[in-house]
Amino acid sequence: MLTSLWFDLCGRGGCSSSSSAFEHVFVGEIKGQKQGENEVSGFHKWIQFYLEESNGNVDYQGYIFPRRRGELPDSETQLLTIQFEWHGVLKSVSSTLICVSPEFEIALYTLCFFAGGEDNHVDIGPYSVNIKVLQVGG
């Protein structure tokens, strides 16, 4: 069931081809290539961001102040909302958990999927976040 959930191909609106949930979350994808209005979708893993930036594929354009705490990110911050371009396509708002393992994120997102809702309000340490889940299939 987990293999199917994370690695079966599924089409999402505007995608030029099918991808898996794993690819969407951990690698990222560019939607709307056929419509001419490109948009970065997914791409939430800090390791992927680091690798793509190191290869010159990401243009980091800054962070957005944490709303709840009203403080500046520091070396202890593990949740960032950032803006960037990936292969020249803008992602104006993207949240990422910094320095957490893929295993933690797979477990967290899987639990949210099985909770059944699109919006899943959870507390992760000092952060209150809304994990969005697309329920696919039928």
Side-chain angles (χ1 to χ4, degrees):
M1 180 180 278
L2 290 177
T3 300
S4 177
L5 174 67
W6 279 102
F7 297 104
D8 283 358
L9 298 179
C10 59
R12 282 177 280 286
C15 293
S16 61
S17 61
S18 294
S19 65
S20 69
F22 183 88
E23 288 172 300
H24 174 82
V25 172
F26 294 98
V27 178
E29 55 192 336
I30 297 177
K31 297 187 331 182
Q33 292 176 334
K34 290 183 179 176
Q35 291 85 11
E37 294 183 19
N38 294 344
E39 174 187 28
V40 175
S41 181
F43 200 116
H44 298 290
K45 189 65 188 152
W46 68 274
I47 295 171
Q48 173 70 351
F49 187 91
Y50 168 77
L51 293 172
E52 287 294 290
E53 187 178 37
S54 296
N55 288 326
N57 298 324
V58 165
D59 177 15
Y60 168 72
Q61 298 180 349
Y63 62 87
I64 299 168
F65 291 109
R67 289 186 197 154
R68 184 179 74 86
R69 297 178 300 146
E71 61 189 45
L72 296 174
D74 61 20
S75 63
E76 302 297 316
T77 301
Q78 287 190 280
L79 176 67
L80 284 180
T81 301
I82 58 177
Q83 180 175 352
F84 61 91
E85 283 187 2
W86 183 37
H87 295 289
V89 179
L90 178 68
K91 181 144 189 187
S92 58
V93 178
S94 182
S95 295
T96 184
L97 292 166
I98 307 296
C99 295
V100 299
S101 71
E103 294 88 349
F104 171 80
E105 288 188 87
I106 287 175
L108 174 63
Y109 305 149
T110 299
L111 287 172
C112 289
F113 176 85
F114 285 115
E118 179 179 324
D119 293 306
N120 298 273
H121 299 279
V122 298
D123 291 328
I124 304 171
Y127 307 106
S128 294
V129 298
N130 180 26
I131 307 290
K132 293 273 190 184
V133 175
L134 176 63
Q135 300 289 331
V136 294

PDB file of all heavy atoms in Angstrom, residues 109-123:
ATOM      1  N   TYR A 109       3.701  12.703   6.184  1.00  0.00           N
ATOM      2  CA  TYR A 109       2.773  12.908   5.077  1.00  0.00           C
ATOM      3  C   TYR A 109       1.868  11.704   4.859  1.00  0.00           C
ATOM      4  O   TYR A 109       0.711  11.855   4.455  1.00  0.00           O
ATOM      5  CB  TYR A 109       3.527  13.259   3.792  1.00  0.00           C
ATOM      6  CG  TYR A 109       4.454  14.453   3.936  1.00  0.00           C
ATOM      7  CD1 TYR A 109       5.621  14.541   3.202  1.00  0.00           C
ATOM      8  CD2 TYR A 109       4.178  15.486   4.829  1.00  0.00           C
ATOM      9  CE1 TYR A 109       6.477  15.633   3.335  1.00  0.00           C
ATOM     10  CE2 TYR A 109       5.025  16.575   4.971  1.00  0.00           C
ATOM     11  CZ  TYR A 109       6.173  16.643   4.224  1.00  0.00           C
ATOM     12  OH  TYR A 109       7.020  17.710   4.349  1.00  0.00           O
ATOM     13  N   THR A 110       2.367  10.500   5.133  1.00  0.00           N
ATOM     14  CA  THR A 110       1.536   9.297   5.028  1.00  0.00           C
ATOM     15  C   THR A 110       0.427   9.330   6.075  1.00  0.00           C
ATOM     16  O   THR A 110      -0.737   9.032   5.771  1.00  0.00           O
ATOM     17  CB  THR A 110       2.394   8.025   5.181  1.00  0.00           C
ATOM     18  OG1 THR A 110       3.374   7.997   4.135  1.00  0.00           O
ATOM     19  CG2 THR A 110       1.544   6.771   5.102  1.00  0.00           C
ATOM     20  N   LEU A 111       0.765   9.702   7.302  1.00  0.00           N
ATOM     21  CA  LEU A 111      -0.263   9.824   8.344  1.00  0.00           C
ATOM     22  C   LEU A 111      -1.319  10.850   7.957  1.00  0.00           C
ATOM     23  O   LEU A 111      -2.512  10.623   8.145  1.00  0.00           O
ATOM     24  CB  LEU A 111       0.374  10.200   9.683  1.00  0.00           C
ATOM     25  CG  LEU A 111       1.155   9.101  10.380  1.00  0.00           C
ATOM     26  CD1 LEU A 111       1.891   9.656  11.598  1.00  0.00           C
ATOM     27  CD2 LEU A 111       0.221   7.970  10.796  1.00  0.00           C
ATOM     28  N   CYS A 112      -0.878  11.975   7.395  1.00  0.00           N
ATOM     29  CA  CYS A 112      -1.834  12.996   6.962  1.00  0.00           C
ATOM     30  C   CYS A 112      -2.726  12.468   5.846  1.00  0.00           C
ATOM     31  O   CYS A 112      -3.932  12.733   5.828  1.00  0.00           O
ATOM     32  CB  CYS A 112      -1.097  14.260   6.512  1.00  0.00           C
ATOM     33  SG  CYS A 112      -0.331  15.174   7.869  1.00  0.00           S
ATOM     34  N   PHE A 113      -2.163  11.695   4.924  1.00  0.00           N
ATOM     35  CA  PHE A 113      -2.957  11.103   3.846  1.00  0.00           C
ATOM     36  C   PHE A 113      -4.046  10.206   4.427  1.00  0.00           C
ATOM     37  O   PHE A 113      -5.209  10.290   4.041  1.00  0.00           O
ATOM     38  CB  PHE A 113      -2.064  10.299   2.895  1.00  0.00           C
ATOM     39  CG  PHE A 113      -2.828   9.596   1.820  1.00  0.00           C
ATOM     40  CD1 PHE A 113      -3.175  10.260   0.651  1.00  0.00           C
ATOM     41  CD2 PHE A 113      -3.211   8.272   1.960  1.00  0.00           C
ATOM     42  CE1 PHE A 113      -3.891   9.631  -0.352  1.00  0.00           C
ATOM     43  CE2 PHE A 113      -3.925   7.618   0.961  1.00  0.00           C
ATOM     44  CZ  PHE A 113      -4.267   8.302  -0.195  1.00  0.00           C
ATOM     45  N   PHE A 114      -3.673   9.347   5.370  1.00  0.00           N
ATOM     46  CA  PHE A 114      -4.646   8.423   5.934  1.00  0.00           C
ATOM     47  C   PHE A 114      -5.622   9.098   6.897  1.00  0.00           C
ATOM     48  O   PHE A 114      -6.674   8.545   7.188  1.00  0.00           O
ATOM     49  CB  PHE A 114      -3.958   7.228   6.591  1.00  0.00           C
ATOM     50  CG  PHE A 114      -3.419   6.256   5.573  1.00  0.00           C
ATOM     51  CD1 PHE A 114      -2.061   6.038   5.454  1.00  0.00           C
ATOM     52  CD2 PHE A 114      -4.270   5.586   4.707  1.00  0.00           C
ATOM     53  CE1 PHE A 114      -1.559   5.166   4.501  1.00  0.00           C
ATOM     54  CE2 PHE A 114      -3.785   4.708   3.745  1.00  0.00           C
ATOM     55  CZ  PHE A 114      -2.427   4.501   3.643  1.00  0.00           C
ATOM     56  N   ALA A 115      -5.303  10.298   7.354  1.00  0.00           N
ATOM     57  CA  ALA A 115      -6.259  11.066   8.158  1.00  0.00           C
ATOM     58  C   ALA A 115      -7.442  11.483   7.286  1.00  0.00           C
ATOM     59  O   ALA A 115      -8.528  11.743   7.793  1.00  0.00           O
ATOM     60  CB  ALA A 115      -5.587  12.290   8.779  1.00  0.00           C
ATOM     61  N   GLY A 116      -7.211  11.539   5.952  1.00  0.00           N
ATOM     62  CA  GLY A 116      -8.305  11.696   5.018  1.00  0.00           C
ATOM     63  C   GLY A 116      -8.637  13.088   4.552  1.00  0.00           C
ATOM     64  O   GLY A 116      -9.455  13.245   3.668  1.00  0.00           O
ATOM     65  N   GLY A 117      -8.046  14.111   5.124  1.00  0.00           N
ATOM     66  CA  GLY A 117      -8.402  15.464   4.716  1.00  0.00           C
ATOM     67  C   GLY A 117      -7.341  16.125   3.856  1.00  0.00           C
ATOM     68  O   GLY A 117      -6.185  15.734   3.863  1.00  0.00           O
ATOM     69  N   GLU A 118      -7.767  17.148   3.102  1.00  0.00           N
ATOM     70  CA  GLU A 118      -6.811  17.916   2.307  1.00  0.00           C
ATOM     71  C   GLU A 118      -5.970  18.802   3.215  1.00  0.00           C
ATOM     72  O   GLU A 118      -4.783  18.969   3.002  1.00  0.00           O
ATOM     73  CB  GLU A 118      -7.545  18.780   1.282  1.00  0.00           C
ATOM     74  CG  GLU A 118      -6.594  19.619   0.437  1.00  0.00           C
ATOM     75  CD  GLU A 118      -7.307  20.451  -0.604  1.00  0.00           C
ATOM     76  OE1 GLU A 118      -8.314  19.996  -1.164  1.00  0.00           O
ATOM     77  OE2 GLU A 118      -6.839  21.579  -0.849  1.00  0.00           O
ATOM     78  N   ASP A 119      -6.594  19.388   4.227  1.00  0.00           N
ATOM     79  CA  ASP A 119      -5.888  20.245   5.188  1.00  0.00           C
ATOM     80  C   ASP A 119      -5.682  19.497   6.488  1.00  0.00           C
ATOM     81  O   ASP A 119      -6.634  19.010   7.096  1.00  0.00           O
ATOM     82  CB  ASP A 119      -6.695  21.520   5.452  1.00  0.00           C
ATOM     83  CG  ASP A 119      -6.763  22.414   4.233  1.00  0.00           C
ATOM     84  OD1 ASP A 119      -5.689  22.748   3.691  1.00  0.00           O
ATOM     85  OD2 ASP A 119      -7.875  22.781   3.819  1.00  0.00           O
ATOM     86  N   ASN A 120      -4.427  19.406   6.901  1.00  0.00           N
ATOM     87  CA  ASN A 120      -4.073  18.682   8.122  1.00  0.00           C
ATOM     88  C   ASN A 120      -3.252  19.614   9.006  1.00  0.00           C
ATOM     89  O   ASN A 120      -2.087  19.875   8.736  1.00  0.00           O
ATOM     90  CB  ASN A 120      -3.257  17.434   7.775  1.00  0.00           C
ATOM     91  CG  ASN A 120      -4.056  16.481   6.918  1.00  0.00           C
ATOM     92  OD1 ASN A 120      -4.781  15.649   7.417  1.00  0.00           O
ATOM     93  ND2 ASN A 120      -3.939  16.613   5.604  1.00  0.00           N
ATOM     94  N   HIS A 121      -3.874  20.130  10.048  1.00  0.00           N
ATOM     95  CA  HIS A 121      -3.213  21.065  10.952  1.00  0.00           C
ATOM     96  C   HIS A 121      -2.496  20.261  12.041  1.00  0.00           C
ATOM     97  O   HIS A 121      -3.140  19.542  12.805  1.00  0.00           O
ATOM     98  CB  HIS A 121      -4.230  22.025  11.554  1.00  0.00           C
ATOM     99  CG  HIS A 121      -4.920  22.840  10.494  1.00  0.00           C
ATOM    100  ND1 HIS A 121      -4.356  23.963   9.936  1.00  0.00           N
ATOM    101  CD2 HIS A 121      -6.103  22.659   9.866  1.00  0.00           C
ATOM    102  CE1 HIS A 121      -5.170  24.452   9.024  1.00  0.00           C
ATOM    103  NE2 HIS A 121      -6.242  23.671   8.955  1.00  0.00           N
ATOM    104  N   VAL A 122      -1.165  20.371  12.039  1.00  0.00           N
ATOM    105  CA  VAL A 122      -0.349  19.613  12.989  1.00  0.00           C
ATOM    106  C   VAL A 122       0.691  20.525  13.623  1.00  0.00           C
ATOM    107  O   VAL A 122       1.075  21.548  13.048  1.00  0.00           O
ATOM    108  CB  VAL A 122       0.350  18.405  12.314  1.00  0.00           C
ATOM    109  CG1 VAL A 122      -0.657  17.412  11.774  1.00  0.00           C
ATOM    110  CG2 VAL A 122       1.271  18.850  11.204  1.00  0.00           C
ATOM    111  N   ASP A 123       1.118  20.146  14.804  1.00  0.00           N
ATOM    112  CA  ASP A 123       2.214  20.832  15.482  1.00  0.00           C
ATOM    113  C   ASP A 123       3.457  19.974  15.348  1.00  0.00           C
ATOM    114  O   ASP A 123       3.449  18.795  15.703  1.00  0.00           O
ATOM    115  CB  ASP A 123       1.898  21.058  16.960  1.00  0.00           C
ATOM    116  CG  ASP A 123       0.789  22.079  17.167  1.00  0.00           C
ATOM    117  OD1 ASP A 123       0.677  23.007  16.343  1.00  0.00           O
ATOM    118  OD2 ASP A 123       0.047  21.957  18.157  1.00  0.00           O
TER     119      ASP A 123
END
